Every structure is written in structure tokens, then in C-alpha cells.
Amino acid sequence: MARQIELSFIVQPRFEGRCLRDFLRESGVSATLIKAVKNETGGFWVGDGPARTCDPVHAGQMVTFVLPPEPPTSVKAEPIPLSIAYESPHVMVLEKPAGMAVHPTLNYKEGTLANAYMGLLQQRGESGVFRPVNRIDKDTSGLVLCAKNVWAASLLAKSVRKEYLAVVEGRVSGSGVIDQPIGRAPDSIILRRVTPEGKPSRTEYAAEQAGKLHTLVRAVPITGRTHQIRVHFSYIGHPLAGDDLYGGSRELIGRQALHCAAITFEDPVSHKPVRVESELPKDMQALLSNCEKDLKNL
């Protein structure tokens, strides 16, 4: 039997006399979720009794409700080893290795991060749905932030910030911003390019280590376009090592040298900032140590 998830909130003084609906919406409970709670889990309780969403609430009262059951999922549970970088009652941050797709697709029906997540829930005797807040390419490694329930998902999406480490070709120094629109390349459903017809895209970066042939940069995508970091660095003449889709060479590494190295977000319950970090994977470490003997800290 699926475990019920009960949420409780204390009404703050600023909500004194306001309707329950307003309090719930500002606590991250969407209109869709409010409707589902009413129809599926017995509605909302304020103090010791049931309450309508139009009823006023008062400072210090406890508002309680049960989340609706998770919808069915077609993702198969598989016993794949899973590295958990962080976990709390509503959040899980996973370490995805390079070469693993996040979701099942026509080309990758099994062996994905979603399959591994469902396998973990099965092992724990729990039910749920795989809800990644950020997604990374199959050949990109690093952190994936997951919401354990529908309430946490929207709150995490609003606060998440991702930092990537990338090894780019050529020497890059200092810090900068790449502010160029990105759109689809003609006659391709995969390839992206910088184009005036594209969507606004902004990447902030800072060089961390530089050698003769490569530079380790920390990149923060302010927008979230497909292949954004890969396209932007290719555009300024510094494609990612291994990224042959955008002009990089695979001579020294067999995939794009890109790693989601840090994720920050606001905890849904405490509202305190949380930062989770991940070490540079071995193939990117080897690329730097073996091929750039003269690395210098910038």
C-alpha cells in the first residue's frame, strides 16, 4: 500500500484573516493540487476540524492535508546502483554518470536514471514518480535534482541554480558572459546554434585552470536552453573537449567534457538554502592531469 504523505504548515501573522486558499497558494500549493486534495484525500484541516478554502485562517493555526496518490508510471523499476548525493523528506539529488540517459527514450528504453530511481523506491517498499527538476544530456555527468512529490516539484523548480564544470579547447582567462540567442539548426531536431531567431540565452562563466590546449571553466546557465553551454562555448571559439557535435575533438576524451558540479536550491520546508557539490569525474580529471601538465591556477 502506498505511503501517504501528510503536509503541515503553521499560519504566519501576515496571513491573519486571509482565506485558506491564499495561504495555500503562497505556501507553494498550486490550484491543481488544491483541487486534487479536495477530491481525492479528504480536503484540508485547520486546527482540529475540516476547512473550506474560502474560510479565514488565523496566525498560529496548523493547516494539514494529505497529498493525492501518485499517478501510475510506465517507467520500469530496475536494480541499477544509484549514487545519492543528498536526501531529505521531499528532495533527492542523484549523481548521474556519463553515458546514462535521464529518461527512457526510443533509443534508451532501459538502464536510465529514471529506471534506477524506480528501482530504489521498489527496494525501499515505496511508490512514487521520477520527477527530475533539472535534466542533463546522456553524455553529461553530474547532479540531478529530484522532487519526491508534486508539491516539492514546483517549489524546487523556482529556486534551483546549477553550476557546471567544463573543459573547453583553447586558453580562456578571467570571467565573462555569453549572451546570445539559441535556436534549432536547420534540418536537425538535435543540433542547436546561435541565431537571431533563437530564444534569449545567457551563460556566465569563470576560468578556473588553464593549460596550453585546454581550460577548466565553471559555467552557470542563467537560462535553460537545450545544449546551451555547449553551443555558447562553441560560438566563442572554445568548443568543449570531446563535443564533436559542436566542433570539439574526441582525441582525448570520448564525450563532451561537461559535469554538473553543484546545485543550490531552497529547502521546501525550512526555506533555507541548500548546496550540493559533486567532484569532477575521473575522465575529466585525467584529461586535465595527463594532457595539461602545465596547469596553472588562475
Side-chain angles (χ1 to χ4, degrees):
M1 183 176 180
R3 178 176 61 91
Q4 287 189 327
I5 300 176
E6 183 178 277
L7 297 180
S8 298
F9 303 92
I10 298 293
V11 178
Q12 302 300 315
R14 63 191 179 95
F15 292 103
E16 174 64 39
R18 295 176 62 180
C19 70
L20 174 59
R21 182 185 299 106
D22 289 347
F23 171 74
L24 292 169
R25 292 303 304 274
E26 293 196 35
S27 299
V29 185
S30 68
T32 301
L33 182 53
I34 289 174
K35 183 177 180 181
V37 170
K38 286 181 179 179
N39 295 335
E40 300 177 38
T41 64
F44 299 92
W45 288 67
V46 177
D48 295 328
R52 301 170 300 173
T53 53
C54 60
D55 290 342
V57 294
H58 302 286
Q61 287 183 318
M62 176 79 77
V63 175
T64 305
F65 63 95
V66 174
L67 288 176
E70 295 281 20
T73 178
S74 61
V75 178
K76 177 184 175 183
E78 297 181 37
I80 300 171
L82 196 58
S83 178
I84 301 173
Y86 173 88
E87 185 172 10
S88 70
H90 300 283
V91 182
M92 189 181 294
V93 180
L94 305 175
E95 288 260 16
K96 187 189 83 66
M100 174 184 276
V102 172
H103 277 291
T105 65
L106 289 175
N107 295 326
Y108 305 99
K109 296 181 180 179
E110 298 178 344
T112 71
L113 193 66
N115 297 120
Y117 180 83
M118 296 307 298
L120 174 66
L121 293 186
Q122 185 180 75
Q123 179 185 347
R124 292 178 172 182
E126 299 175 2
S127 62
V129 174
F130 180 58
R131 286 192 177 87
V133 177
N134 68 303
R135 294 170 175 82
I136 54 179
D137 297 333
K138 179 178 72 70
D139 288 335
T140 298
S141 56
L143 300 173
V144 177
L145 174 64
C146 302
K148 288 186 175 182
N149 55 67
V150 65
W151 169 73
S154 61
L155 293 173
L156 292 171
K158 293 175 183 177
S159 67
V160 64
R161 175 185 168 92
K162 298 156 287 182
E163 297 177 22
Y164 289 81
L165 288 174
V167 180
V168 303
E169 296 184 353
R171 190 175 182 89
V172 178
S173 59
S175 59
V177 175
I178 309 171
D179 199 342
Q180 295 291 337
I182 294 176
R184 288 185 184 272
D187 304 319
S188 176
I189 61 173
I190 298 174
L191 200 64
R192 264 57 175 181
R193 64 171 181 167
V194 167
T195 171
E197 292 77 32
K199 295 180 179 180
S201 307
R202 180 183 177 91
T203 301
E204 298 176 355
Y205 69 89
E208 296 205 343
Q209 292 178 316
K212 289 181 179 179
L213 302 176
H214 296 88
T215 303
L216 177 68
V217 298
R218 184 172 295 270
V220 178
I222 304 305
T223 50
R225 310 304 176 204
T226 299
H227 297 177
Q228 178 173 315
I229 293 173
R230 300 166 65 185
V231 172
H232 270 168
F233 277 97
S234 177
Y235 175 77
I236 65 172
H238 297 283
L240 273 61
D243 192 4
D244 56 354
L245 187 63
Y246 293 106
S249 170
R250 287 208 170 195
E251 182 180 354
L252 301 176
I253 188 170
R255 54 108 175 182
Q256 67 259 15
L258 185 62
H259 180 70
C260 187
I263 284 183
T264 58
F265 56 91
E266 185 180 280
D267 182 85
V269 177
S270 70
H271 303 295
K272 294 181 179 179
V274 178
R275 180 179 175 86
V276 183
E277 297 184 349
S278 171
E279 292 185 356
L280 201 65
K282 291 181 179 179
D283 61 345
M284 290 178 65
Q285 290 182 27
L287 173 63
L288 292 172
S289 62
N290 294 336
C291 304
E292 304 294 348
K293 299 297 185 181
D294 63 334
L295 281 175
K296 303 171 185 177
N297 289 325
L298 295 181

